[in-house]
Amino acid sequence: MGSNWPEYRLDQLTKLIVDCPHSTPKWTDSGVVVLRNQYIRNGRLDLSAPSYTNEEGYQSRVKRAVPKPGDIVLTREAPMGEVCEIPEGLRCCLGQRMVLIRADETIVDPKYLLFVFQGPYLQHQVGWNEGTGTTVSNIRIPNIKAFRIPLPPLSEQQRIAGILGGIDAKIALNRQINTTLESMAQALFKSWFVDFDTVIDNALAAGNPIPEPLQARAQARAALGDQRQPLPESIRNQFPDRFVFTEALGWVPEGWEPRPLSELININPRTPLKKGQVAKYVDMKALPTGGYSVSELAEKEYSGGAKFINGDTLLARITPCLENGKTGVVDFLANEETGFGSTEFIVLRPKGAVGTPFIAALARNDIFRRHCVTNMVGSSGRQRVQNACFDSYFVATPNNEYLLEKFNDIGQNWFSRMKALSDESRALASLRDTLLPKLLSGELRVPEAERQVAEVL
C-alpha cells in the first residue's frame, strides 16, 4: 500500500514497547485479569470468560511495565498481529506471547495507532517479519520496533480514529443490545419451563399447596408482590395452578409431561449436501461464547462435517469449546440452502411446536450445559458430547402446544431483532474494513469517509 503520509518507525512514536514475561502465569479462580491471546480478536478484547492470577502473580508480571488504559497489546504468536486497547477500569497483566505498546500521545493518537495495526499495510509487515521460534512462528521485538507507521498530522489522526471508532462504537452498541435480547429470551425460557414461575403464581393465588422443593422459589415470588409483573390473563390461564411428582424431573406442572430432549427436537438430522458442492462454511472459532450470531463465514467445497439449514442451533460438542459456551443460531442462509461446519458441532433442529428460540435458550441454560459437560466421554483434553446425552436430559412440556407456540412467537421477535442488528454490524464492519486502508494511506480523506458512513448509519 502506498501512502500519502510520511512514515516513521514504531519505536519513534512510542514511549515503550515491552515484551511479556515468558513464564506461565500462576492461575487462580479470581483476582487480577491475565490477558491471553485468545481474548484478542478483530481489534477487540473479549473478557467474557477471563483468566486470573493472584496479587503475587500480578506483581511478578508487571515488573517491566504496568498496563494502563490506552495501551495497545499486540500478540506475537498464535495468532500473530492481533491487537486490542486496554480499557478504562481494567487492572490486568500480560500473559504470554504478547507485547505492550504505549504511544507517545504528543506525536500519535493511541486509537489511530490501534487502527493502523489492524490495517493491511501493517498486517503485511507482520507476515513479512515473521520469525521462527522453537515450536511456533512469532514476531521478534526488533522487527516490531521497526514497523513502518504512516503518520498524518495529529488532528487528522484524531479525525480518522473518530470515524473508525464511531463505526466500532455502533457495532459494540448492537452487540450490547443483542446481549440484552438474549438475556430476555433466556430469562423467559427459564421462568416458563424451568422455574415454573407462572404455575407457582397461579398456585399461590388459588391457595394450592407448593411442594417443599419449590417453597423457596414460591417465597421469593410472593415477596415480589406487585413487582411480579404477571403475564396477560390469556397466557396466564394456559398454565396450571398445581404440581405433580414425576420420576424423571420431580415436581412439574400438572398436565405437563417430562420428555427426553431427543424426542422433542431433531439431533443431527440428515441434511442433503453433495461432496464437492460449494457451500457456506462455519468453523469453531466463528461460534460465539455469548450471543448467537455466527461471526465469520467462508465458502468451500463440502468434504465432510456437520450440515445445517436456517433455524438450526449449533452447539460445540468438544472440550473446552462446550464449557466456554460456544453456541450459534443459523440465520445466514437462503431458503432451502444448506451450509456445513466443523465435525465438532452438534446440530439441534426445531421439531413440531418446539422452535428455534426454545432450543437456543435451552442451549445456553446452565442446567442443560452442566448435563452436557458431565456426560462427555473420551480421553482427557479430547472429551466430547455424544448424542445419547440427550436421551437422559428431560424437559417438562405443556399438554397443549399453545405455550410452546406463544414462547416461539415472543422469542422470534427478539431473534429477528438480533439478526437485524447482527446484519447491520456486518455491513458496518465491511464499511470500516473498506475505509480503513484508504484513510490510513491518504487515498480517502475524512469528509468523503464521513459521507459514506452517514449513508449507512
Side-chain angles (χ1 to χ4, degrees):
M1 177 188 78
S3 175
N4 296 323
W5 310 119
E7 294 185 359
Y8 296 83
R9 285 171 53 105
L10 179 63
D11 58 6
Q12 293 177 290
L13 308 176
T14 54
K15 293 180 178 179
L16 58 82
I17 299 175
V18 177
D19 197 8
C20 65
H22 290 186
S23 59
T24 302
K26 177 180 176 62
W27 302 117
T28 56
D29 293 333
S30 61
V32 182
V33 170
V34 180
L35 301 186
R36 306 180 73 175
N37 280 17
Q38 60 262 40
Y39 303 159
I40 303 172
R41 194 168 180 198
N42 299 325
R44 190 170 70 91
L45 177 63
D46 180 1
L47 293 178
S48 56
S51 300
Y52 301 98
T53 190
N54 58 19
E55 186 65 26
E56 179 183 359
Y58 167 75
Q59 294 297 337
S60 70
R61 304 192 71 80
V62 296
K63 291 180 179 178
R64 297 179 184 178
V66 176
K68 295 169 49 179
D71 286 351
I72 294 171
V73 178
L74 169 71
T75 61
R76 290 184 58 195
E77 61 186 59
M80 295 188 302
E82 294 285 351
V83 288
C84 72
E85 182 183 38
I86 302 291
E88 291 284 348
L90 177 66
R91 187 168 184 249
C92 64
C93 57
L94 302 188
Q96 293 180 285
R97 305 182 297 277
M98 52 182 58
V99 176
L100 188 71
I101 300 169
R102 184 168 299 158
D104 182 344
E105 296 185 33
T106 65
I107 306 172
V108 62
D109 181 77
K111 294 187 182 299
Y112 169 82
L113 187 59
L114 181 71
F115 285 114
V116 172
F117 269 101
Q118 297 173 65
Y121 184 49
L122 199 135
Q123 286 296 313
H124 175 74
Q125 295 179 62
V126 168
W128 182 259
N129 287 288
E130 176 182 328
T132 302
T134 56
T135 56
V136 292
S137 298
N138 62 74
I139 320 170
R140 297 174 59 243
I141 296 297
N143 292 342
I144 293 173
K145 291 181 177 181
F147 283 157
R148 305 299 298 178
I149 308 296
L151 198 72
L154 188 58
S155 60
E156 188 78 3
Q157 297 173 39
Q158 292 165 344
R159 294 180 71 189
I160 291 172
I163 291 173
L164 299 174
I167 295 175
D168 279 352
K170 182 62 170 72
I171 293 173
L173 177 61
N174 287 352
R175 190 181 300 117
Q176 182 180 353
I177 294 172
N178 275 357
T179 298
T180 300
L181 292 169
E182 176 195 1
S183 298
M184 291 166 62
Q186 292 174 18
L188 188 65
F189 171 83
K190 187 171 183 290
S191 176
W192 283 22
F193 302 108
V194 179
D195 294 334
F196 310 127
D197 285 337
T198 306
V199 183
I200 290 174
D201 290 347
N202 286 349
L204 290 172
N208 293 331
I210 304 293
E212 193 278 330
L214 301 177
Q215 281 289 338
R217 185 71 183 175
Q219 291 171 9
R221 295 292 297 173
L224 288 173
D226 294 338
Q227 299 178 22
R228 272 185 285 180
Q229 298 180 336
L231 295 170
E233 187 174 353
S234 60
I235 300 176
R236 181 173 55 81
N237 288 341
Q238 298 296 319
F239 288 87
D241 60 6
R242 64 181 68 242
F243 293 89
V244 296
F245 186 80
T246 65
E247 291 295 330
L249 278 178
W251 294 97
V252 302
E254 184 180 52
W256 287 31
E257 180 186 358
R259 297 173 62 190
L261 185 61
S262 55
E263 290 183 7
L264 282 176
I265 65 176
N266 293 305
I267 312 291
N268 288 333
R270 294 179 63 86
T271 305
L273 186 64
K274 295 180 180 179
K275 285 197 172 183
Q277 182 177 340
V278 175
K280 290 187 174 67
Y281 173 79
V282 176
D283 63 13
M284 184 64 77
K285 69 180 181 181
L287 276 196
T289 56
Y292 298 104
S293 179
V294 174
S295 59
E296 297 177 13
L297 297 175
E299 288 199 357
K300 58 191 294 188
E301 292 185 357
Y302 173 68
S303 59
K307 294 172 287 185
F308 45 76
I309 59 176
N310 267 354
D312 288 347
T313 297
L314 306 179
L315 177 72
R317 65 187 292 223
I318 192 169
T319 191
C321 299
L322 173 65
E323 294 92 327
N324 292 341
K326 280 186 168 288
T327 306
V329 169
V330 180
D331 59 7
F332 44 81
L333 300 174
N335 290 336
E336 300 184 3
E337 183 181 8
T338 298
F340 72 105
S342 168
T343 57
E344 303 297 354
F345 291 162
I346 294 176
V347 179
L348 310 176
R349 183 169 297 171
K351 181 179 180 181
V354 176
T356 299
F358 184 101
I359 297 172
L362 171 68
R364 287 217 179 276
N365 180 262
D366 289 341
I367 299 174
F368 170 73
R369 299 192 75 88
R370 284 198 298 271
H371 174 83
C372 292
V373 170
T374 56
N375 283 275
M376 297 176 87
V377 299
S379 59
S380 177
R382 301 298 294 175
Q383 292 185 311
R384 294 175 173 84
V385 175
Q386 304 298 310
N387 286 7
C389 169
F390 305 111
D391 295 332
S392 58
Y393 188 84
F394 286 81
V395 179
T397 54
N399 54 359
N400 63 62
E401 295 184 346
Y402 174 85
L403 290 176
L404 290 171
E405 292 171 347
K406 178 57 66 173
F407 179 84
N408 187 65
D409 290 343
I410 296 171
Q412 195 57 57
N413 288 331
W414 294 332
F415 276 78
S416 295
R417 176 63 173 154
M418 282 189 265
K419 173 176 166 48
L421 290 171
S422 295
D423 288 346
E424 180 182 69
S425 292
R426 277 190 281 268
L428 288 169
S430 177
L431 174 63
R432 178 200 58 206
D433 294 344
T434 299
L435 295 179
L436 192 151
K438 294 182 178 180
L439 285 169
L440 298 184
S441 68
E443 176 188 345
L444 184 71
R445 295 306 171 96
V446 168
E448 174 59 21
E450 289 176 335
R451 185 189 66 77
Q452 293 186 33
V453 172
E455 290 176 355
V456 175
L457 293 177

